[in-house]
């Protein structure tokens, strides 16, 4: 078995920035588990089932990518998967502060687990799922920053069809 990384996030919805990070991560890792975090505090636009379905459709059953979801501590999930690597993307300095705090807490909880950061490609530095959803809800045309199936589902969710 090769090196497996866990790529956690809400993926509400998955964007081309997420896909870029997955593809670049596959140059470093043998397998990536896209792990959708179920956060009871957040009110997602898409259900967990819809997010899993969208990611599966977008990745088209990629042989080196597994899609899963979890509740609870990320480090517990990482251990359950039999790996010790968390993959995270960084867009800007503002991301770094938050991600650094998370990585330090994860290290305190599970010193054997490493967090690996990949810088976002310049093309996707501005992109976040929350900004994307706001733009679409106001009628913004964003089909160049999400896969076509995601764009269609966003328009349906906001009643723009």
């Amino acid at each position: 078995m090769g090196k497996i990384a866990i790529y956690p996030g809400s993926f509400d919805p998955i964007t081309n920035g997420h896909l870029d990070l997955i593809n670049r991560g596959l140059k470093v890792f043998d397998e990536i588990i896209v792990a959708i975090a179920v956060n009871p505090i957040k009110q997602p636009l898409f259900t967990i089932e819809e997010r899993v379905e969208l990611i599966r459709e977008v990745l088209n059953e990629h042989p080196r990518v597994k899609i899963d979801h979890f509740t609870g501590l990320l480090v517990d999930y990482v251990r359950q998967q039999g790996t010790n690597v968390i993959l995270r993307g960084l867009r800007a300095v503002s991301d770094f502060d938050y991600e650094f705090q998370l990585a330090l807490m994860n290290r305190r909880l599970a010193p054997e687990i490493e967090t690996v950061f990949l810088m976002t490609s310049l093309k996707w530095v501005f992109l976040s799922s929350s900004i994307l959803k706001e733009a679409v809800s106001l009628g913004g045309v964003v089909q160049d920053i999400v896969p076509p199936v995601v764009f269609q589902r966003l328009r349906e969710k906001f009643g723009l069809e």
Side-chain angles (χ1 to χ4, degrees), residues 65-93:
V65 179
K66 178 181 167 190
I67 298 106
D68 198 6
H69 60 87
F70 71 97
T71 57
L73 287 174
L74 174 58
V75 292
D76 291 341
Y77 177 78
V78 172
R79 286 177 178 140
Q80 290 167 5
Q81 297 307 307
T83 190
N84 66 339
V85 179
I86 298 168
L87 175 63
R88 297 293 291 171
L90 293 174
R91 291 174 296 207
V93 174

Side-chain angles (χ1 to χ4, degrees), residues 88-142:
R88 297 293 291 171
L90 293 174
R91 291 174 296 207
V93 174
S94 57
D95 280 351
F96 179 80
D97 185 47
Y98 176 72
E99 293 292 342
F100 185 64
Q101 291 175 46
L102 284 179
L104 289 176
M105 179 55 77
N106 286 335
R107 177 168 287 164
R108 178 149 172 67
L109 295 170
E112 75 280 9
I113 296 175
E114 296 293 338
T115 301
V116 174
F117 295 102
L118 287 180
M119 299 303 297
T120 300
S121 294
L122 190 56
K123 184 176 183 178
W124 309 116
V125 164
F126 70 93
L127 183 56
S128 75
S129 293
S130 54
I131 290 172
L132 165 74
K133 288 183 285 193
E134 184 176 350
V136 172
S137 74
L138 298 170
V141 179
V142 297

Side-chain angles (χ1 to χ4, degrees), residues 12 34 38-39 53 69 103 107 113 123 127 139 149 151 157:
D12 186 39
V34 176
V38 178
N39 186 341
E53 176 189 324
H69 60 87
R107 177 168 287 164
I113 296 175
K123 184 176 183 178
L127 183 56
V149 66
F151 180 66
K157 281 282 186 185

